[in-house]
Amino acid sequence: MNVKGLMKKELKAYFNSPMAYLVVLFFVLCLNIFFFFFGQFFAHDNANMRGYFQIVPVLFILILPAISMRSWAEERKLRTDELLFTLPLSEFEIVMGKFLSGVFLLVLMILLTLPVPIMLNMFGNFERGQIIGEYMGTFLLGMAGLSVGQFISSRTSNQISAYIFSVIILIFITFIGDITMIINVPPVVGNIFSYLSLSTHFESFEKGIFDTRDFAYFAIIISLFIYLNIKVIKLKK
């Protein structure tokens, strides 16, 4: 079994349960309901989709842990983790196989939202660059959240614990930049909190701004938690 084979195994496990279908449906429905009804898109004379993506960080806090919680916690519950370690795969390949299966589900969720901008283009001339930036930011934010959730799952004993701790950690690193709105902190500390915040870097993509610093930030977060996950697996072996 190679990385591709492990990825297929993980995807099969996802779609053999109602979880994958519920997660995808929840994501798409919530985005559209929030945008068209609560956001009252048709009542505004704006040819942009910023309102469509504003809720994405909050949805990801709830959805991504549901995807990642089973990656390692389920293996431990079924006692198949030891069998997995006997496969002719390195720790990196095992972790990436699980991570890429979650990314596949993330891509599926994002693709199912594409009919919305296609349909709305009939009502006005939307800025394609901004929409591309928003989708790119959504993809990077999703991968970052999955890497965090998968690492948490490797450190917990069951799926419920993995979900709860992942939600807590994602809330913290997503909105840490907003802490200055609650308490007074020195400007230097505020700038550090803002830089560490997932939502801060996502906002740039929302505006259609392609900043290499934001790409670098997400790349660091994803790489860091994948690395930590590999370290945990090596220790368990």
Side-chain angles (χ1 to χ4, degrees), residues 102-160:
V103 172
F104 181 90
L105 199 56
L106 171 67
V107 171
L108 178 61
M109 289 192 301
I110 293 174
L111 287 177
L112 289 175
T113 67
L114 288 178
V116 175
I118 293 173
M119 178 192 70
L120 292 180
N121 194 53
M122 297 185 297
F123 295 92
N125 295 318
F126 283 73
E127 180 56 52
R128 293 182 181 178
Q130 183 175 348
I131 293 177
I132 292 172
E134 288 163 340
Y135 272 103
M136 189 175 295
T138 299
F139 180 60
L140 292 171
L141 180 67
M143 287 200 297
L146 286 174
S147 67
V148 172
Q150 187 171 311
F151 166 69
I152 298 298
S153 180
S154 71
R155 298 293 297 156
T156 50
S157 56
N158 60 72
Q159 294 189 55
I160 302 301

Side-chain angles (χ1 to χ4, degrees), residues 13-169:
Y14 278 129
F15 288 100
N16 278 345
S17 72
M19 178 59 70
Y21 303 97
L22 291 174
V23 164
V24 173
L25 183 63
F26 179 78
F27 178 73
V28 176
L29 282 180
C30 282
L31 271 183
N32 289 312
I33 290 173
F34 179 83
F35 183 55
F36 288 111
F37 293 96
F38 295 105
Q40 297 182 331
F41 169 77
F42 293 108
H44 301 287
D45 189 23
N46 295 326
N48 67 73
M49 292 185 63
R50 285 196 65 183
Y52 192 73
F53 293 92
Q54 283 178 342
I55 196 177
V56 165
V58 176
L59 285 179
F60 274 175
I61 288 172
L62 300 174
I63 289 175
L64 298 181
I67 296 175
S68 62
M69 66 181 183
R70 64 164 302 280
S71 58
W72 289 108
E74 182 71 4
E75 297 278 5
R76 194 171 297 110
K77 176 185 175 182
L78 299 176
R79 298 185 182 277
T80 56
D81 53 341
E82 293 183 8
L83 177 61
L84 186 62
F85 295 150
T86 64
L87 296 174
L89 294 171
S90 67
E91 293 84 359
F92 174 78
E93 290 172 326
I94 294 173
V95 170
M96 288 307 297
K98 288 180 171 292
F99 177 68
L100 291 175
S101 64
V103 172
F104 181 90
L105 199 56
L106 171 67
V107 171
L108 178 61
M109 289 192 301
I110 293 174
L111 287 177
L112 289 175
T113 67
L114 288 178
V116 175
I118 293 173
M119 178 192 70
L120 292 180
N121 194 53
M122 297 185 297
F123 295 92
N125 295 318
F126 283 73
E127 180 56 52
R128 293 182 181 178
Q130 183 175 348
I131 293 177
I132 292 172
E134 288 163 340
Y135 272 103
M136 189 175 295
T138 299
F139 180 60
L140 292 171
L141 180 67
M143 287 200 297
L146 286 174
S147 67
V148 172
Q150 187 171 311
F151 166 69
I152 298 298
S153 180
S154 71
R155 298 293 297 156
T156 50
S157 56
N158 60 72
Q159 294 189 55
I160 302 301
S161 298
Y163 182 84
I164 293 172
F165 283 116
S166 295
V167 168
I168 293 172
I169 296 299

